[in-house]
Each structure stands twice: as C-alpha cells, then as structure tokens.
C-alpha cells in the first residue's frame, strides 16, 4: 500500500512540477530580454513574447522538414532534450530523492552531461543550406586550396560543443560538488537536512526557512560564483556562446529546427534556464522545488529569478569569447571551484 | 609592430564557407576559410554578389542628371560619390566653386564620415557579440542623421553637391549653425564616455588586441587605404592634398599596431578630428554665393579624381562628349583592395576572430560590386545567374 501511495505521489508531484515549471519557464526569457533591453536603453519586447508567444507561434507555424543527415533522429533530439531537462528538474524535487538514488549528485551531473551531448549530436546532424550546399559559383572558379573537406557550420559547432563539454562546463560540475561535500553526502535529501532541518517536519502549508544555507559560507559563495559562470556556459549564453555564435556558426546545431521543432527547442532552453536556477536554490540555499508545499515552491521560484536576472545584465555587457579566452577563464574558474571544494571540507 | 609569420608547415584540415546569405554579413559576399581546427590557415573572399551595373546606367546621360545616380552608388557614403562625381566635371571643365559651397560640402562630408564610422562601430560590436555597444553606437549616430536631414533634407541621400556648388536648400542659416554646434557639444560628451567605456572593457579588448594583424608593408602592397592603412602605420590621407580641405586644421590619425583594436581606435579618434573640422566650418563659414552657374556642358577628356572617403581611396573617372553626355564612367571604391588586405590579415586568427577581422576593414559591397567580364575582346556585364548558367555549379 505504501509503495502504491508513493508511486501515486511521485506521478502526481511530477505532473504538477512539470506543468508549473514549464509555464513559469516561459516567462523567464521575457524577463531576461526586457532587462537586457533596459540596459541597452531600449523598451524591449513585452514580457510574454520571447517565451510564451514565441513558443505558441512556432507551434502553429507550417511544418518545415529539417535538412539533416538522419532527419528522424535529428527531430527526435529536441523532444529528448525536453525530456532530459524535465527529468533533471524532477530529480531535484523531494519525491524523487528516494528513487534509485537519482536525487543525487550523480543524477544531476549525469543528466546535465546528457544535455550537453545533445548539442554535439544536433550539430553533427544538421545540414543547413546556409553553408556548404549554397549554390555559389566560387566552386566553378576554383579555390586557393582544393580537395579539403567542406564542413557545415553546424559540424563546426558540434566540434565546439565537444570542447565545451570537455573543458567549458568543468567549473559547473566542480561547483555542483561543493554543497554535497559540505553535507558529507551525495544525496540531495541529506543536503537539505543539513541546510534546512525543519523542512522535513513541516506541514504542507508552512514555509520552512533554511537555518544553515551553504550560500552564506565562504566556500558556498565561491562555488555559487563558479556555478553562475558554469550556468552561462551550459546555457550557451554570452560570453560563452561560441557554439552558437551568430557571427560564424549562426545558431549551431539547432539551425534547422523550424515550426514545432523550434517551439520544442525553445521549451527545452527555457526549461533548462529554470531548472538550473531552481537546482541552484535547492542546493545552495536549501529551499527545494516542492509541488506539495506551495509556499516553499513559490519561494524557490522567486529565488530562481536571481540567476536569469544576473545573466541578463552580464549578457548585455559581454562580447562573445573565443577559445583563446575561454580556456584560461575555465582554468581560473575551475581553480576557484577547487578552492571552494577544499574549503568546504572544513565546514 | 608585431609581425606574424605564417607557419610553412601549416595543415589545412577543412574548408568553412560562410555567405553570401549569412546573418553576420550585412551585405552579400562569400568567405571561404581554410582552417586547421579553429585556426584560419588561408582565406578567400568572393565579392560581386549584388551586381547592379550602375556604371552602365551612366552611359549617355546628361552630366547633371547622371550625378543623381552617383549619389545612389551607396547609402552610407552617398555624399562622397556625389561630391567626387561633381569634382570630376568641375576639374575637367575648369568650373570654379565658391568658397562657401566648398565649406558646406566639407561640412556634410564630415557629418557623414562620423555617421559612417558609427555604423562601423555598430557593425563591429555586433560581430563581436556586444549588443550594448552596438546599439549605443546607432543611438549616437542619430545626431548626425538628424543634421543631414536639417541640411540636405534627407537622412541618407542629402544631395548637397551640384556642379559648381551646392543646392540652395543646403545653405546654412544662423539658427542652423547654432543647432549644429549644440548637437555637437552634446554628442561629444556622450561619445567620449562611450569610447572610454570601450577602451576600458577588458573582455572587448581581449577580443580586439593582437588580432587581425596587418603590417604597414602589407597595407601598402594590397593598397589598404583609409583607416585600415592608417591603423597599420601608413600615413596616407588624400584630404591633405585636396584644396577643399586646405582652410581647415586637423590631424591625420596614424597608428602603428595594425590590429583590430587599432582599426577601431583609429576611427574613434578620426571622429574627434571630424568634429574639429565641422566646428571650423560653422565658425569660419565665408559669406558669398553658394553655386556657380556660369558653365556649359561640353566635350571633356577623361578626367579622374581621387577622394578620401570614409573607408579609403575613391576614384571617379569619366569623359563628356560634345553634347555633354557621359561616356565611360568608372568608379573604384576602397573595398576591393581593403578586403584583399583582410584576406591576409585574418590568417592565424580563430574563425570567430577572422570574421571580425574581415568586418574591421568596414567593407561596403554595394559600392564595389560593379565588375564587367571581358569575353572575346568584347566587354559585357554578366549577372550571377548568367555565370552559373554558363559555367554551372556543383556542391
């Protein structure tokens, strides 16, 4: 009976969490764009346009088949991405903490890595007309160098995604470890127990506030800074958007997504924007995204605005960095993350 | 000057081709980068994607009418084409231009030079990925678009010069002079803050400094004129040789570094010199007529005039037949040679930096796409589609 109740709770909490997260995540890009616009002395778009209306608009656009090496696989990658990001968020919610150890550092890091792999796969599949196949007479006229591979810009983006996967996102994973090391456990439930002990004994309508948030410690703060930069890297936002730099690789692997697929990609990106922010609030402040504790859920959502807002301001003032700058930046941030990790042992 | 030596053992792994339809290119041209991982080992730029046959349009037109077409060669540097076109006939037919008209011609030219350089900043920072600096630049440019509209009646095509002087509507009134000076003061304050912020931004500087190196020798070899040559240490500015600019005191900005940062800084400083010239025009504007109508169109030998446009050296050349109709109009804009220099400058850069380097020469493709193909001794113009039909294409 307990098992059935648990499964029912798990399914219900997952559905509620997924719906709330999806709806809320559709507002975040609007806030982000509005802030960027204000920094740039522009009015900016209405708050609901970049998220909510853009997704709806693309959803009802005429169907356009992408040009890809394996079209079915390429199309399915979007929906796989949405599922990965949703699961990533769900693993940080309380009902999942007890399921096969997925509510742990391993579950989070594993799904984050999967999400990164998606860009490599998308890039290697997409074959837009905007690049190599464009019918230009320069091939007839010849070239300085002949007989070399002609690469699609999306493939070039996939190579960049691979580099970012290997090096660029390293700081995020180091920062992710810090709260777990501070709690001396790999499980999110233990981490919450250390930071917010009253949470487990609270009723559904109460608001259990953390007494010992890791963010307010020196290693926690350092890790939060590193996490924020890693957040930008994972979201491919400036200054770390080299794998979708408009200037050369245009949109990267997602270039060929149109209509419903583009709507799906926006859903994935918006959900990731929220999921990473919500996970930050859960891990560093100790307030989980609990669909059965409304006040706790609302507080998590409100605090989740901090990272997108900070991102919007930073993005407005940042150019695109190339690997010439990304490598040293990553090394420096990783070093900072390692320092936070060492310091967190003493907590 | 840091000279980059090309590695003779460099390996070209693949080709990355961008354009002519590409969001980073505001005008159509083709970039073929031959790269090893992320490093550009060689580059090939193909222009002539938007051929309009504008030189052919001039053929046989009365000279006064044809000059309206000259202004439409380009939207950003419309005034320089109009002015250099009238300079040709004024030089060929020995037409004297009143001093007041020359002053106002210089004024509108320097206003458009600033507007052009601010477009360059907008475009360069967009390619750099810094939207805020890009948009700020376009906001600052509005001052000069307004001034062009006040003086010429149009923001893009002010049509100020006519043969022998300027249009009557472009004469400066006392109130307009006051407006110009007030707007300049306001602009200068904001502009200096803007430039200070750019130069103080470590992220922006890390992208610009030491990237896209073009040596002085290469600038001269490829004839990279204008700000590009001057940013590589080549002290060459035709304005110093033009009698129209003799009354004005200004410095020619020459930097030695030859990188993308130098090309940005050179233009930033040139804007300040242009402001200096505009103030001198307004304060020392002589009284007198604004146009000399005492001339008759007639036969004129081929006459060539050079001009320092915002991107480099511009040439207009044509002759007039006995009825005063234009024959053999030729225009050479600075972009083809500047782009050729950038093919060299971007070698050794990262792919993303290479596109920035190419943009740093401020290419203007609508100006330069006027090529004619010579077949069997006969000159004729072929469109792109004709070339493809004739020679075919393959993926």
């Amino acid at each position: 009976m307990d098992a059935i109740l648990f499964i029912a709770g798990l399914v219900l909490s997952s559905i509620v969490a997924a719906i709330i997260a999806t709806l809320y995540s559709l507002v975040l890009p609007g806030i982000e764009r509005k802030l960027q616009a204000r920094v740039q002395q522009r009015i900016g778009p209405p708050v609901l346009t970049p998220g909510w209306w853009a997704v709806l608009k693309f959803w009802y656009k005429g169907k356009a088949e992408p040009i890809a090496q394996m079209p079915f696989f390429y199309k399915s990658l979007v929906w796989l991405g949405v599922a990965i990001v949703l699961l990533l968020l769900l693993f940080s919610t309380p009902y999942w903490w007890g399921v096969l150890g997925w509510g742990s550092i391993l579950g989070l890091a594993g799904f984050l890595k999967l999400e990164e792999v998606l860009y490599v796969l998308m890039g290697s599949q997409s074959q837009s007309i905007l690049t190599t196949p464009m019918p230009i007479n320069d091939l007839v006229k010849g070239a300085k160098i002949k007989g070399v591979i002609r690469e699609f810009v999306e493939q070039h983006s996939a190579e960049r995604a691979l580099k970012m996967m290997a090096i660029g996102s390293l700081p995020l994973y180091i920062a992710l470890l810090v709260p777990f090391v501070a709690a001396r456990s790999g499980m999110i439930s233990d981490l919450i127990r250390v930071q917010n002990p009253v949470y487990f004994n609270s009723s559904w309508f109460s608001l259990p506030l953390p007494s010992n948030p890791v963010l307010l410690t020196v290693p926690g703060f350092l890790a939060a800074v590193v996490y924020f930069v890693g957040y930008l890297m994972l979201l491919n936002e400036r200054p770390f958007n080299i794998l979708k730099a408009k200037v050369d690789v245009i949109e990267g692997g997602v270039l060929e997504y149109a209509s419903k697929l583009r709507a799906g990609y926006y859903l994935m990106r918006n959900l990731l924007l929220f999921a990473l922010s919500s996970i930050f609030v859960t891990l560093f402040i100790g307030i989980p995204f609990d669909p059965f504790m409304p006040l706790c859920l609302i507080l998590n959502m409100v605090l989740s605005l901090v990272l997108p807002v900070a991102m919007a301001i930073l993005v407005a003032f940042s150019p695109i960095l190339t690997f010439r700058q990304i490598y040293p930046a990553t090394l420096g941030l990783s070093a900072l993350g390692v320092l936070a990790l060492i310091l967190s042992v003493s907590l | 000057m840091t000279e980059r030596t090309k590695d003779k053992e460099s390996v070209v792994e693949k080709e990355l081709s961008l354009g002519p339809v590409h969001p980073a290119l505001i005008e159509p041209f083709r970039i073929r980068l031959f790269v090893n991982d992320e490093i550009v080992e060689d580059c090939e730029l193909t222009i002539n994607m938007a051929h309009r046959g504008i030189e052919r349009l001039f053929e046989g037109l009365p000279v006064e009418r044809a000059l309206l077409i000259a202004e439409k060669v380009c939207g950003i540097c419309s005034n320089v084409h109009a002015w250099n076109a009238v300079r040709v006939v004024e030089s060929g037919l020995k037409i004297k231009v009143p001093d007041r008209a020359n002053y106002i011609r210089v004024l509108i030219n320097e206003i458009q030079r600033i507007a052009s350089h601010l477009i360059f900043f907008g475009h360069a920072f967009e390619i750099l990925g810094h939207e805020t600096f890009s948009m700020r630049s376009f906001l600052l440019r509005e001052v000069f678009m307004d001034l062009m509209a006040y003086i010429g009646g149009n923001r893009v095509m002010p049509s100020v010069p006519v043969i022998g002087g300027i249009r009557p509507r472009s004469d400066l009134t006392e109130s307009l002079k006051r407006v110009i000076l007030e707007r300049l003061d306001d602009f200068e304050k904001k502009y200096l803050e803007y430039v200070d912020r750019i130069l103080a931004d470590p992220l922006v500087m890390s992208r610009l400094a030491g990237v896209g190196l073009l040596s002085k020798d290469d600038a001269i070899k490829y004839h990279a004129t204008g700000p590009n040559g001057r940013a590589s240490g080549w002290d060459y500015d035709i304005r110093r040789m033009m009698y129209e600019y003799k009354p004005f005191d200004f410095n020619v900005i020459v930097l030695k570094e030859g990188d993308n940062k130098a090309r940005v800084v050179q233009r930033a400083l040139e804007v300040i010199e242009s402001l200096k010239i505009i103030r001198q025009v307004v304060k020392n504007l002589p009284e007198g007529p604004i146009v000399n109508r005492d001339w008759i169109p007639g036969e004129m030998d081929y006459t060539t005039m050079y001009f320092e446009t915002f991107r480099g050296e511009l040439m207009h050349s044509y002759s007039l037949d006995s009825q005063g109709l234009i024959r053999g109009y030729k225009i050479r804009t600075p972009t083809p040679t500047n782009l050729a220099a950038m093919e060299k400058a971007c070698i050794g850069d990262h792919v993303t930096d290479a596109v920035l380097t190419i943009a740093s020469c401020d290419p203007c493709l609508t100006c330069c796409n006027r090529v004619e193909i010579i077949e069997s001794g006969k000159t004729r113009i072929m469109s792109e589609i004709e070339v493809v039909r004739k020679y075919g294409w393959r993926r």
Side-chain angles (χ1 to χ4, degrees):
Chain A
M1 189 62 189
D2 281 353
I4 293 168
L5 272 178
F6 178 77
I7 291 168
L10 184 72
V11 171
L12 195 63
S13 80
S14 300
I15 292 168
V16 173
I19 290 170
I20 293 173
T22 306
L23 293 178
Y24 184 59
S25 73
L26 293 177
V27 184
L28 294 180
I31 296 171
E32 183 198 334
R33 292 274 296 278
K34 194 84 182 168
L35 274 168
Q36 268 181 47
R38 297 315 297 161
V39 171
Q40 291 162 356
Q41 294 179 311
R42 292 185 291 122
I43 296 167
V47 172
L48 288 179
T49 299
W52 182 262
W53 296 120
V55 169
L56 272 183
K57 179 183 82 176
F58 281 111
W59 197 267
Y60 289 104
K61 279 219 171 209
K63 197 178 168 190
E65 279 298 311
I67 308 170
Q69 193 109 359
M70 292 186 281
F72 179 76
F73 178 59
Y74 181 64
K75 286 190 276 187
S76 61
L77 285 173
V78 168
W79 307 116
L80 190 65
V82 174
I84 288 171
V85 179
L86 264 179
L87 282 174
L88 179 73
L89 177 72
L90 293 179
F91 287 174
S92 71
T93 60
Y95 254 95
W96 283 83
W97 292 347
V99 182
L100 300 172
W102 283 341
S104 66
I105 178 72
L106 286 179
L108 298 183
F111 272 77
L112 280 174
K113 257 311 176 222
L114 265 182
E115 203 275 335
E116 286 187 78
V117 173
L118 278 183
Y119 291 103
V120 181
L121 297 175
M122 286 170 178
S124 57
Q125 287 299 310
S126 177
Q127 296 188 330
S128 167
I129 183 87
L130 281 175
T131 62
T132 300
M134 194 169 277
I136 297 300
N137 58 5
D138 57 5
L139 280 184
V140 181
K141 290 174 182 167
K144 282 180 175 175
I145 298 165
K146 291 175 184 168
V148 291
I149 299 163
R150 308 189 81 212
E151 193 179 42
F152 287 87
V153 289
E154 297 97 314
Q155 289 171 347
H156 198 70
S157 166
E159 288 163 19
R160 288 179 178 177
L162 206 61
K163 285 179 196 168
M164 288 301 280
M165 228 179 99
I167 297 161
S169 56
L170 188 65
L172 181 99
Y173 294 101
I174 297 174
L176 209 57
L177 277 173
V178 170
F180 289 98
V181 172
R184 304 288 189 277
S185 168
M187 307 303 292
I188 299 176
S189 53
D190 294 334
L191 190 147
I192 298 293
R193 198 164 280 117
V194 170
Q195 295 188 49
N196 193 355
V198 291
Y199 169 76
F200 291 95
N201 304 319
S202 304
S203 60
W204 71 273
F205 56 85
S206 63
L207 179 59
L209 291 175
S211 55
N212 188 23
V214 73
L215 182 66
L216 298 184
T217 63
V218 175
F221 181 75
L222 290 177
V225 172
V226 178
Y227 184 96
F228 172 61
V229 182
Y231 172 79
L232 296 174
M233 287 176 172
L234 220 66
L235 283 165
N236 305 315
E237 277 296 339
R238 276 200 307 272
F240 303 106
N241 62 337
I242 187 83
L243 67 92
K244 57 168 197 175
K246 191 179 87 175
V247 62
D248 47 18
V249 295
I250 314 176
E251 276 265 286
V254 301
L255 185 58
E256 273 297 305
Y257 288 131
S259 58
K260 273 197 178 62
L261 296 168
R262 172 73 38 183
Y265 166 65
Y266 282 168
L267 269 178
M268 179 183 102
R269 197 255 176 202
N270 298 345
L271 268 170
L272 187 65
L273 188 73
F274 173 66
L276 289 173
S277 309
S278 175
I279 289 170
F280 173 79
V281 177
T282 306
L283 301 186
F284 286 81
I285 304 178
I287 300 169
F289 185 71
D290 188 342
F292 293 154
M293 286 183 77
L295 292 177
C296 203
L297 180 114
I298 290 167
L299 190 59
N300 179 291
M301 286 162 67
V302 171
L303 291 173
S304 295
L305 278 173
V306 173
L307 290 190
V309 165
M311 183 177 84
I313 293 165
L314 188 78
V315 163
F317 289 114
S318 299
I320 301 167
L321 297 183
T322 64
F323 285 109
R324 215 158 53 100
Q325 293 94 17
I326 291 174
Y327 287 153
T330 305
L331 284 175
L333 285 162
S334 300
L336 197 65
V338 170
L339 175 70
L341 207 58
I342 294 166
L343 290 175
S344 66
V345 176
S346 62
L347 286 177
Chain B
M1 171 84 217
T2 317
E3 183 68 51
R4 185 173 44 225
T5 51
K6 194 182 162 190
D7 179 10
K8 285 180 183 165
E9 298 298 316
S10 64
V11 177
V12 174
E13 192 186 21
K14 62 204 172 188
E15 177 193 330
L16 206 60
S17 38
L18 314 173
V21 180
H22 191 283
L25 311 178
I26 49 174
E27 288 175 285
F29 65 109
R30 176 84 155 167
I31 303 173
R32 299 173 81 180
L33 299 172
F34 300 97
V35 299
N36 185 6
D37 188 19
E38 277 284 338
I39 306 298
V40 175
E41 299 291 350
D42 213 333
C43 170
E44 185 182 277
L45 300 174
T46 310
I47 58 171
N48 195 35
M49 304 283 173
H51 176 62
R52 295 182 296 160
I54 204 157
E55 283 167 344
R56 189 54 64 90
L57 289 177
F58 285 106
E59 198 65 24
L61 286 180
V63 65
E64 309 93 311
R65 205 176 137 198
L67 297 175
L68 285 173
I69 300 175
E71 192 176 36
K72 285 159 186 70
V73 170
C74 176
I76 301 169
C77 38
S78 53
N79 184 66
V80 289
H81 287 285
W83 190 6
N84 206 30
V86 299
R87 286 174 79 234
V88 174
V89 68
E90 284 164 0
S91 169
L93 297 180
K94 306 275 184 295
I95 302 166
K96 183 156 172 29
V97 180
D99 283 348
R100 188 176 174 90
N102 267 334
Y103 268 61
I104 294 171
R105 284 178 177 186
V106 168
L107 170 82
I108 199 80
N109 196 50
E110 293 308 311
I111 285 176
Q112 211 172 48
R113 184 183 304 278
I114 297 172
S116 171
H117 284 355
L118 289 170
I119 284 189
F120 165 78
F121 294 141
H123 183 46
F125 286 116
E126 196 191 352
I127 287 189
L128 200 72
H130 203 302
E131 277 180 12
T132 304
F133 282 161
S134 173
M135 289 186 182
R136 183 76 181 148
S137 171
F138 281 107
L139 196 65
L140 287 168
R141 180 171 168 266
E142 279 304 298
V143 173
F144 297 94
M145 302 310 283
D146 285 348
L147 290 181
M148 270 194 281
Y150 298 159
I151 298 166
N154 192 301
R155 283 162 60 92
V156 179
M157 304 276 172
S159 302
V160 172
V162 288
I163 300 168
I166 58 162
R167 277 176 210 284
R169 70 162 183 236
S170 306
D171 198 6
L172 293 192
T173 60
E174 285 306 313
S175 59
L176 189 52
K177 281 187 198 173
R178 268 200 309 277
V179 169
I180 293 172
L181 291 176
E182 279 168 17
R183 298 291 297 265
L184 288 195
D185 291 343
D186 185 40
F187 164 80
E188 192 171 17
K189 198 174 146 216
K190 290 175 182 166
Y191 176 73
L192 291 176
E193 282 171 12
Y194 171 69
V195 173
D196 281 347
R197 276 175 56 194
I198 293 170
L199 296 177
D201 192 319
L203 290 179
V204 169
M205 286 301 118
S206 74
R207 284 292 311 278
L208 293 175
V211 175
L213 289 167
L214 181 73
S215 68
K216 182 181 173 183
D217 290 345
D218 282 335
I220 295 170
K221 182 181 162 191
Y222 291 100
H223 204 65
T225 52
N228 305 304
R230 291 196 286 277
S232 293
W234 184 18
D235 189 1
Y236 179 68
D237 190 327
I238 295 174
R239 282 183 297 173
R240 277 202 294 231
M241 295 168 243
M242 288 169 63
Y243 81 92
E244 291 95 331
Y245 275 88
K246 285 275 184 291
F248 306 110
D249 174 33
F250 65 98
N251 298 316
V252 172
I253 309 294
V254 180
L255 302 175
K256 294 198 184 307
E257 289 78 7
D259 57 1
N260 286 345
K261 180 185 169 188
R263 287 189 275 277
V264 169
V265 172
Q266 199 281 340
R267 286 176 173 89
L269 295 174
E270 208 162 83
V271 166
I272 296 166
E273 292 304 313
S274 292
L275 288 174
K276 221 158 88 180
I277 295 171
I278 295 171
R279 286 199 176 100
Q280 289 174 60
V281 169
V282 175
K283 285 174 184 163
N284 307 326
L285 185 67
E287 293 298 327
I290 53 164
V291 65
N292 169 17
R293 300 199 188 277
D294 188 19
W295 64 279
I296 302 164
E299 194 164 345
M300 183 184 86
D301 282 343
Y302 271 103
T303 307
T304 303
M305 291 304 278
Y306 292 92
F307 192 88
E308 184 65 33
T309 178
F310 322 132
R311 297 172 168 84
E313 184 188 81
L314 170 72
M315 183 206 83
H316 277 243
S317 172
Y318 58 86
S319 67
L320 299 181
D321 64 14
S322 56
Q323 294 170 304
L325 306 178
I326 284 183
R327 298 294 170 201
Y329 207 116
K330 286 285 164 212
I331 303 171
R332 197 193 66 210
T333 60
T335 298
T337 52
N338 284 342
L339 276 177
M342 290 307 128
E343 275 189 353
K344 164 90 178 166
C346 71
I347 295 173
D349 291 345
H350 280 234
V351 171
T352 314
D353 285 335
V355 182
L356 177 66
T357 300
I358 292 163
S360 75
C361 83
D362 200 7
C364 183
L365 278 305
T366 55
C367 293
C368 76
N369 286 342
R370 289 165 288 88
V371 76
E372 288 180 353
I373 292 175
I374 299 172
E375 282 191 324
S376 317
K378 289 180 183 174
T379 304
R380 73 181 200 87
I381 297 166
M382 288 177 85
S383 67
E384 282 297 293
I385 192 71
E386 279 179 308
V387 173
V388 173
R389 279 187 190 138
K390 188 169 174 61
Y391 298 105
W393 60 272
R394 61 188 160 80
R395 288 186 181 186

